[in-house]
Amino acid sequence: MPSEQPDSSSALPSAPIGFFDSGVGGLSVLDTVFHHLRDESYLYLADTQHMPYGERDPQEIVRLAASCLTWLVSQHQVKMLVVACNTASVCLPAMLERPEYQALKTLPIINPITPTCRWVAEGPYRRVGVIATMATVLSKQYVERIQAANPKIEVQQVACELLATFIEHGKTHKPLFQSILEEYLAPLIEWEMDALILGCTHYSHIGQEIRSQLPDSVDILDPADFIAHEIKQQLKCQGSSSVAEDHVQAITFRVTGEPNEFEQVSDELPMKNITVDIVQAAVVPLILPETPNTD
Ligand code: DGL
C-alpha cells in the first residue's frame, strides 16, 4: 500500500505544473514548454537517485514513478502532471489501473507518447525510427500505438542503453559517446527511415549531434513540441490563471539524489529558455511494493 494518498482535489488554478523525469532529460521538455508558457509556475522533480529508469523492470518503474507523482500532488498540490519521461510513461496505463493510484487520475496527466503517436499517425511519414531506452523499446508502445492508428506506417526501434546515462553525467564529449551514437543510428539510417522520434527525453539535449549523423532527408521528431501543445490545450480547458509576474522564471527544481552534479550538468546542456539553479534535495518516500500473492 502507498504510504500516503494524493489529494488532488485541492489543486488551485494558480498552482504549479508538476514535471517529472528520472534526471535531466525532462529539462528539455520544460525548456520548450517554458518558451511557450512563461507565465506559469513549475515544479520539476528528478528522481536522480534511481536514474537510469530504462534498465529497470516495469514493476519497479511503476513503484518509483508513482512515488514521485504522488509526492508532487500530495506535497505540492500541482494542478497538472507532466511525465517528461518516456520510460515512466510506458508504465502509466498499468499504474493508473491500480486502485491505490486512482486519486492521480483526477489531475490531467500529460506524457510524451500519446500526442507524438497521434501526430505521427496523421503525418506524412511512412518509415519511422524510434530511439529509446530498453524499457520503452520492450514495451513496444510507440510501435503499437502508431500502427493501431495508421497500419500503413512502418516503425522500427533501437534501444540505446547507455545514451541517457552519458547525458545525465555530462559525458557527451567523450569519443566513446560519439561511436555508440553512431552504432545506434546506423541500422535506422540503413533502413532509410524518413523520420526519427526521440523516444527518450534525454536525447533532445543531443539533438545537434543526432542531426549531424543523419541524412538531411530525415526529420527529427521531438515529443517536447507535442507536449507543449498538449499542455496549452489542457490549460485552456481548465481556464487556468497565470501566476508568474513579468515573465520572471518561476521554476523550482528538486532532485532525489545529489543536487550539485544535476546543477552542473544542466549548465552545460543546450537549453535556450531556462536556467537551473538553487536545486534542492527532495525526500520522496518510496511507495512500498505489493506483498507478493502466495495463494
Ligand atoms: N528520460 C527518460 C525517458 O524519457 C529515461 C532516462 C532513464 O533511463 O532514466 O525515457
Side-chain angles (χ1 to χ4, degrees):
M1 287 292 287
S3 52
E4 56 192 321
Q5 286 287 320
D7 176 12
S8 49
S9 56
S10 55
L12 298 168
S14 59
I17 297 175
F19 267 70
F20 156 64
D21 181 37
S22 60
V24 299
L27 294 174
S28 62
V29 180
L30 182 55
D31 191 50
T32 303
V33 170
F34 189 72
H35 172 68
H36 293 283
L37 295 161
R38 288 185 188 260
D39 297 336
E40 292 292 332
S41 74
Y42 301 88
L43 172 59
Y44 184 96
L45 173 64
D47 190 11
T48 49
Q49 197 191 342
H50 302 105
M51 195 278 164
Y53 274 22
E55 288 160 34
R56 297 176 184 273
D57 72 58
Q59 298 275 20
E60 217 182 339
I61 299 167
V62 165
R63 185 168 74 103
L64 295 169
S67 306
C68 290
L69 296 176
T70 301
W71 184 86
L72 283 167
V73 177
S74 60
Q75 302 290 307
H76 297 277
Q77 288 79 43
V78 297
K79 65 179 173 191
M80 183 187 298
L81 290 166
V82 179
V83 184
C85 174
N86 292 263
T87 310
S89 299
V90 299
C91 297
L92 271 177
M95 183 198 298
L96 296 175
E97 284 299 301
R98 296 169 65 137
E100 62 267 42
Y101 307 134
Q102 291 307 301
L104 289 172
K105 282 164 96 173
T106 59
L107 279 187
I109 305 181
I110 315 279
N111 71 86
I113 301 174
T114 308
T116 306
C117 292
R118 196 169 52 225
W119 193 87
V120 169
E122 288 166 8
Y125 307 112
R126 286 297 168 263
R127 277 194 167 192
V128 177
V130 181
I131 50 172
T133 65
M134 184 54 87
T136 301
V137 166
L138 290 176
S139 78
K140 299 201 184 92
Q141 286 211 16
Y142 273 107
V143 182
E144 288 174 359
R145 291 207 207 176
I146 292 169
Q147 291 185 334
N150 187 341
K152 288 193 191 122
I153 301 177
E154 292 177 77
V155 186
Q156 208 168 107
Q157 324 178 85
V158 171
C160 307
E161 273 178 284
L162 299 169
L163 227 46
T165 304
F166 267 92
I167 297 161
E168 184 70 23
H169 298 292
K171 307 256 187 270
T172 52
H173 55 281
K174 303 269 180 209
L176 178 61
F177 172 79
Q178 288 302 333
S179 66
I180 61 166
L181 180 60
E182 233 172 278
E183 207 172 294
Y184 291 138
L185 294 174
L188 295 173
I189 295 171
E190 200 172 318
W191 181 58
E192 298 185 351
M193 62 182 166
D194 39 32
L196 175 68
I197 296 174
L198 306 182
C200 167
T201 52
H202 278 73
Y203 307 164
S204 305
H205 292 305
I206 55 159
Q208 295 283 2
E209 288 86 341
I210 293 173
R211 177 76 274 165
S212 69
Q213 297 207 11
L214 296 179
D216 290 346
S217 59
V218 178
D219 285 343
I220 295 179
L221 307 178
D222 185 348
D225 299 321
F226 308 121
I227 289 184
H229 180 75
E230 196 82 355
I231 294 175
K232 266 192 193 171
Q233 296 292 107
Q234 195 58 57
L235 289 172
K236 222 188 262 173
C237 295
Q238 281 187 335
S240 164
S241 63
S242 305
V243 287
E245 284 172 14
D246 301 330
H247 295 268
V248 172
Q249 175 174 309
I251 312 176
T252 306
F253 298 95
R254 297 291 180 88
V255 291
T256 58
E258 211 281 300
N260 290 341
E261 190 195 17
F262 185 86
E263 193 167 313
Q264 276 160 21
V265 170
S266 304
D267 270 356
E268 306 288 312
L269 296 172
M271 294 185 292
K272 296 192 188 85
N273 306 296
I274 62 170
T275 310
V276 176
D277 58 8
I278 330 175
V279 178
Q280 286 174 24
V283 179
V284 176
L286 267 189
I287 291 172
L288 296 172
E290 294 283 283
T291 314
N293 190 349
T294 48
D295 292 348

